[in-house]
Amino acid sequence: ARHAAAGAGAPEAAAGDPVRGTVRGTAPVPLSVLDLVTVGAGSTAHASLRTSVELSRLAESRGYHRHWVAEHHSMPGVASSSPAVILAHLAAHTSRIRLGSGGVMLPNHAPLAVAEQFGTLEALAPGRVDLGLGRAPGTDPRTAAALRGPGRLDEAADEFPRRLAELTRFLDDDFPDGHPYSRVHAVPGPVQGPAARPPVWLLGSSGFSARLAGEHGLPFAYAHHFSAAGTLPALDLYRQSFRPSAVLDAPYALIGVAALAADTEEQARAQVLTGALSMLRLRSGRPGLVPTPEEAAAYPFSPLEREFVDGWLANIVHGTPDEVRSGLDALAARTGADELMLTTNAHSGAARLRSYELVADAYSMPTAA
């Protein structure tokens, strides 16, 4: 069935719509969660994954539409190297919220393996799974080489569309007769009988995936949270390139937004500075655990480092709940995004959970049971 795009401020998604979100409370568009499973100094991956479960339950109870987990590798401060494993765990602790990858970095994986993983997730949580795909490695070149194996690091630019097409055929079990994979089946999947499958999203931080998503009539997710300058051009390109498909009859685009609300401006500033310092160290080739607010406040930034941090913080919507609400409203209006997916990076899990709760309160979203 075809699904119309939600549009800013649309009151409800169509019943059973696997793509469009539902607006809750006074939010301008549906709100969702992007989870990096960050690990703070003095904490552990176990504690961060436990926070992800608490976050998924909170998001479900407060009306956030979906909870996505991003794939990253060889980063001590990010414990989301295996999205499918984490999503299976979250599925066991929730019942309604959509769960998905934001995203699986397709060049790191065989398309059949991805189809099997997400077919399994769909069997575990029917009608609740999204398959978001990216073409970046989600790590540094050396780690990407270790993930992919010899000879695959410098694949041609047209490899991603080819691998996307192959993955889609595995999900639909419709390789044509005579194809080498015509008798290869992704299980769980349609070979076992009529079955739904996760909707495919394309993720990107440039025009490549925006155009590809538009040409294939797929929903598109743009990484505004770390590539803000390219947001409007990418969304324009997606909309201009869009061709109606069996999935959508009009464009549907969400954007990832770095956002953190706290009870005071000072608390919000202290928390976002920890993420900024963590990103500075990552970009400088010194990845580590997310520093404490005290460490971030005492860090002796050089002029060049301060310039980077100030630029990074300028793209984070942060402050009191009212300030964050105003920032998100303005961003939704400026971009025309159909959905905002909030990522909240801070040293502590408690600060992350508190932020999502405060944003929900600011928009009068449903009260947690």
Side-chain angles (χ1 to χ4, degrees):
R2 297 187 175 204
H3 307 287
E12 289 289 331
D17 192 321
V19 174
R20 293 187 300 156
T22 298
V23 174
R24 300 295 186 189
T26 60
V29 293
L31 302 183
S32 291
V33 173
L34 176 61
D35 187 1
L36 304 186
V37 196
T38 49
V39 184
S43 187
T44 63
H46 173 76
S48 295
L49 289 165
R50 191 170 62 229
T51 295
S52 290
V53 171
E54 293 179 45
L55 175 55
S56 201
R57 287 171 165 168
L58 170 67
E60 181 172 81
S61 67
R62 297 304 307 269
Y64 288 90
H65 184 63
R66 60 186 107 233
H67 182 157
W68 281 5
V69 178
E71 177 185 344
H72 293 87
H73 299 278
S74 197
M75 298 180 187
V78 178
S80 58
S81 58
S82 303
V85 176
I86 297 171
L87 294 171
H89 187 57
L90 298 182
H93 290 276
T94 56
S95 60
R96 299 183 309 279
I97 193 168
R98 294 197 68 87
L99 301 169
S101 55
V104 165
M105 300 295 108
L106 186 55
N108 295 340
H109 310 279
L112 175 58
V114 176
E116 289 176 335
Q117 290 169 2
F118 279 77
T120 301
L121 287 169
E122 179 66 28
L124 289 169
R128 292 205 288 139
V129 178
D130 299 324
L131 173 50
L133 300 169
R135 69 185 185 101
T139 188
D140 61 274
R142 186 172 298 176
T143 305
L147 281 165
R148 300 179 188 181
R152 285 202 47 232
L153 186 57
D154 297 320
E155 289 183 340
D158 63 354
E159 275 297 288
F160 182 79
R162 182 192 67 77
R163 293 167 71 82
L164 171 63
E166 185 177 302
L167 170 58
T168 302
R169 288 202 175 276
F170 276 126
L171 289 170
D172 292 332
D173 199 41
D174 67 351
F175 283 102
D177 292 341
H179 191 281
Y181 298 156
S182 62
R183 299 179 67 180
V184 179
H185 308 287
V187 179
V191 69
Q192 298 166 315
R197 72 149 166 94
V200 171
W201 290 67
L202 292 193
L203 282 59
S205 57
S206 69
F208 182 94
S209 292
R211 183 186 298 275
L212 189 63
E215 291 174 347
H216 284 74
L218 296 174
F220 177 57
Y222 183 80
H224 174 83
H225 55 295
F226 66 80
S227 189
T231 302
L232 294 181
L235 294 182
D236 287 345
L237 182 58
Y238 169 62
R239 293 165 183 145
Q240 293 163 8
S241 304
F242 188 85
R243 299 173 185 170
S245 70
V247 179
L248 290 170
D249 64 7
Y252 189 88
L254 69 77
I255 59 173
V257 184
L260 189 144
D263 293 291
T264 67
E265 282 188 60
E266 294 74 20
Q267 291 173 352
R269 173 75 182 190
Q271 289 296 335
V272 296
L273 188 60
T274 68
L277 177 55
S278 183
M279 181 56 62
L280 172 66
R281 288 171 169 170
L282 176 65
R283 294 285 178 90
S284 304
R286 299 174 288 129
L289 301 176
V290 179
T292 65
E294 293 75 18
E295 181 182 357
Y299 185 85
F301 293 99
S302 71
L304 279 177
E305 289 175 332
R306 174 57 66 184
E307 182 180 355
F308 172 88
V309 165
D310 288 345
W312 187 259
L313 293 178
N315 291 320
I316 302 177
V317 181
H318 64 284
T320 64
D322 286 345
E323 290 171 330
V324 171
R325 182 186 60 205
S326 295
L328 295 178
D329 287 348
L331 184 61
R334 186 169 75 251
T335 63
D338 298 288
E339 187 174 331
L340 300 180
M341 178 167 276
L342 311 185
T343 182
T344 299
N345 297 323
H347 170 262
S348 74
R352 294 175 61 221
L353 292 166
R354 179 64 173 159
S355 177
Y356 285 105
E357 187 172 26
L358 289 173
V359 170
D361 289 343
Y363 282 118
S364 300
M365 292 166 70
T367 303

